[in-house]
Amino acid sequence: MVVIIVAGLLVGNGVTPQLYPVGKNIQETSYHLNAGDLRKQAFNSSTDLLPLMQELLDYSGTIAVTLRKDDIESASHDLSRYASRYHDLQNLVIRLDMNESEIAHFSEDTGKQKDLLSQFVSSSESLKSLEKLEIQYHDENDPDSVTRVRLQGRALKNRIQTLQNQYADVTDSLSARGGSLGVDTSPVRQSRTELDHLTGMVAERQSERDRYTRFAKAGTPFISFLPAQVNVTFQDKVEMYGFISGSQEEYFPVEISIDNVPFLKIVPDEIGEFRSSFKVHNISAGDHVLKARWGTAYSEPSMIHVTPLETKLALKVLPVKGMAAVNLTWLLNARDPVPAVPVTIYQNDQVYDTVLTSQAGTCLVMVPIPEGTFDLFVRSEDPAYPLTPSESQHYTVISDGIQITSVTSSNTSPFQPVMLIVPAILLFAIPAIYFWRKGIVGTRANGFLEESPNNMESNVPVTGQNIPGSWDGDMSISAEAFTEPDGSPRWLYLDLLRVLSGCQEIVISPVMTPREISESIQEDECRTGFTRFITWYERVRYGGCTRPVCTKAMAEAAAAVRELCKGRKDEI
């Protein structure tokens, strides 16, 4: 009856299996009404989301505190990491399909916070730029320019105040949502306090500017301009910034020129600020004049000094197989590899070609060589770049018109036969040392007696008078004999090696281990006895066993080895 009921249920449900791989199209049954949800990737939302949310709040606090301390570079670095983590959270919210959840609103608020913090960093850079421009015009004793720059502070103050109000709203929202979700919101609350403090500093500084600002016609076009670096060299980055004020009949971008040659155009932002940068590349060494123009208004000229870098040019010449040609490869360095700089190829002091280096400072050129002898080298000496001239080593190339027969560098010194002496010594010395350490070449065990405490002769028999302590007739030694500073166990070991060296006709090196010595013993019975002696010897000497049972066992093992050796000598 039960079997019939089960079969009926299966038929009624279309015989669709209830267990299926995730991701396959299946027919939903009354048992699996939410089959589509099972295809989604499973996450533990609290495990994956909460650490990201907490990290974002911590970052916002760090960025605000860093701005308060006027470390804009570190704030920019924190902001880039913050933006990366924000995108991670946003992607996770999308994957979890939480678009209508509280966490989705939290993610939206962090996105707004990211944009506001980015604008705060930019505004903090503007504050520093404004102060530098004021100092510049103060030093040049130009009160009209100082006044114009100070007027820009009002627009900057208004921008920062607007950002602060927007940030306060986002902070309250984040704090409320973050607290309900179980994350610590104290960093984001602290960030609001720090940015409030920053806004107050800007307002106070602007009040000082207003106090010293004379009346100025707001409609008169004016442009201020300043490069951040004055002394630069090749590949250095020059930051530039400034402000415009007043009005003109037409809209104009800011045009930057160097030595009266325009090379860059910048569009100012809503408060009249502009900033950009360029790399020092094809600019000759020496002093240069930078100037900004905005329509009919020109800035005061600013000077930069470009110092040349010392260069090094390395050349490699290799013959092309089967051809009367060579490949020239070179690298131009000036503190770093030098990109996009011309290098001239010379053939017998005649210019063959001029080639630009790659982004890695390298180049590869194939040069055909007719029959004869040629001198090849490369040189970098273009005065349009702030680089000192440099020349590579010379190569002498000989060609028979069909293939290259010889390539010789000027750096190659004549071959010295005396240089064979050192390799020859090493060739014979290294194997000799190796075999000596392995015992194949060495002294017999008699030399070990030089290490004995009393410098005894190798033919002195081992008796009770030789070793301190009592040596009983049954070959037992008292514990005191092996705890004295004269090293009696060591002496017994060395003397036993002398005995083995004589009776087994083996050569024992001073650096051989007990295991290597045991393996060199041919007779099994003697090898077994020596191994037993070593076992007790190491327990006495290194293991600290001073009980009579240990010393007695060691002495008995040594006596057994001597008896075996004595018996073998008698047989011989």
Side-chain angles (χ1 to χ4, degrees), residues 490-504:
R490 173 68 175 167
W491 186 91
L492 183 60
Y493 168 74
L494 296 176
D495 188 67
L496 192 60
L497 295 186
R498 176 187 62 80
V499 174
L500 284 173
S501 179
C503 74
Q504 293 294 315

Side-chain angles (χ1 to χ4, degrees), residues 250-387:
E250 297 182 23
Y251 174 79
F252 299 102
V254 175
E255 185 180 78
I256 310 296
S257 63
I258 181 167
D259 298 331
N260 295 321
V261 178
F263 72 96
L264 182 65
K265 289 186 177 181
I266 312 170
V267 177
D269 62 13
E270 70 275 6
I271 66 169
E273 182 187 14
F274 62 91
R275 61 175 61 246
S276 185
S277 64
F278 69 94
K279 271 192 174 183
V280 177
H281 190 72
N282 55 333
I283 302 175
S284 61
D287 293 324
H288 297 274
V289 179
L290 287 175
K291 190 180 290 186
R293 180 174 72 90
W294 177 53
T296 58
Y298 287 85
S299 72
E300 294 295 326
S302 298
M303 301 292 297
I304 62 169
H305 180 76
V306 182
T307 304
L309 278 182
E310 184 178 353
T311 62
K312 291 184 179 179
L313 191 54
L315 174 66
K316 187 76 173 179
V317 177
L318 295 173
V320 179
K321 187 175 181 180
M323 295 176 60
V326 292
N327 282 329
L328 274 66
T329 307
W330 64 79
L331 170 64
L332 183 60
N333 254 305
R335 185 175 60 189
D336 294 306
V338 177
V341 169
V343 175
T344 304
I345 304 171
Y346 287 86
Q347 190 179 74
N348 287 346
D349 290 328
Q350 300 295 320
V351 174
Y352 173 79
D353 196 5
T354 299
V355 185
L356 287 178
T357 58
S358 67
Q359 290 301 312
T362 61
C363 201
L364 172 62
V365 178
M366 187 176 74
V367 178
I369 305 295
E371 183 178 0
T373 302
F374 296 85
D375 178 50
L376 293 180
F377 63 97
V378 293
R379 182 183 296 162
S380 172
E381 54 179 354
D382 195 328
Y385 299 83
L387 300 167

Side-chain angles (χ1 to χ4, degrees), residues 136-275:
Q136 179 198 33
Y137 291 129
H138 267 301
D139 291 343
E140 293 180 355
N141 195 20
D142 187 351
D144 289 336
S145 295
V146 174
T147 299
R148 294 286 186 172
V149 169
R150 284 174 174 168
L151 288 173
Q152 301 294 335
R154 295 181 182 177
L156 189 57
K157 171 196 170 184
N158 295 334
R159 172 200 267 181
I160 292 179
Q161 185 65 56
T162 301
L163 292 175
Q164 193 273 335
N165 295 333
Q166 295 174 355
Y167 190 83
D169 295 338
V170 172
T171 301
D172 293 340
S173 178
L174 277 175
S175 182
R177 288 196 170 96
S180 65
L181 293 169
V183 293
D184 180 15
T185 60
S186 57
V188 76
R189 291 197 302 270
Q190 181 191 4
S191 71
R192 176 178 175 178
T193 303
E194 295 294 338
L195 288 176
D196 287 344
H197 195 171
L198 176 64
T199 305
M201 291 173 58
V202 174
E204 182 180 354
R205 183 74 179 94
Q206 184 54 38
S207 296
E208 295 179 5
R209 289 190 178 98
D210 291 340
R211 201 180 326 160
Y212 295 103
T213 300
R214 301 181 299 108
F215 173 77
K217 293 181 181 180
T220 305
F222 172 79
I223 180 171
S224 60
F225 172 70
L226 185 68
Q229 295 84 12
V230 177
N231 295 305
V232 293
T233 187
F234 184 75
Q235 290 295 89
D236 280 352
K237 187 177 181 182
V238 180
E239 302 282 352
M240 306 172 296
Y241 47 80
F243 291 87
I244 60 171
S245 63
S247 61
Q248 301 188 64
E249 293 182 359
E250 297 182 23
Y251 174 79
F252 299 102
V254 175
E255 185 180 78
I256 310 296
S257 63
I258 181 167
D259 298 331
N260 295 321
V261 178
F263 72 96
L264 182 65
K265 289 186 177 181
I266 312 170
V267 177
D269 62 13
E270 70 275 6
I271 66 169
E273 182 187 14
F274 62 91
R275 61 175 61 246

Side-chain angles (χ1 to χ4, degrees), residues 395-417:
Y395 279 83
T396 302
V397 180
I398 302 176
S399 171
D400 60 7
I402 300 175
Q403 62 181 0
I404 304 300
T405 59
S406 174
V407 176
T408 307
S409 170
S410 60
N411 289 349
T412 305
S413 59
F415 178 73
Q416 301 292 338

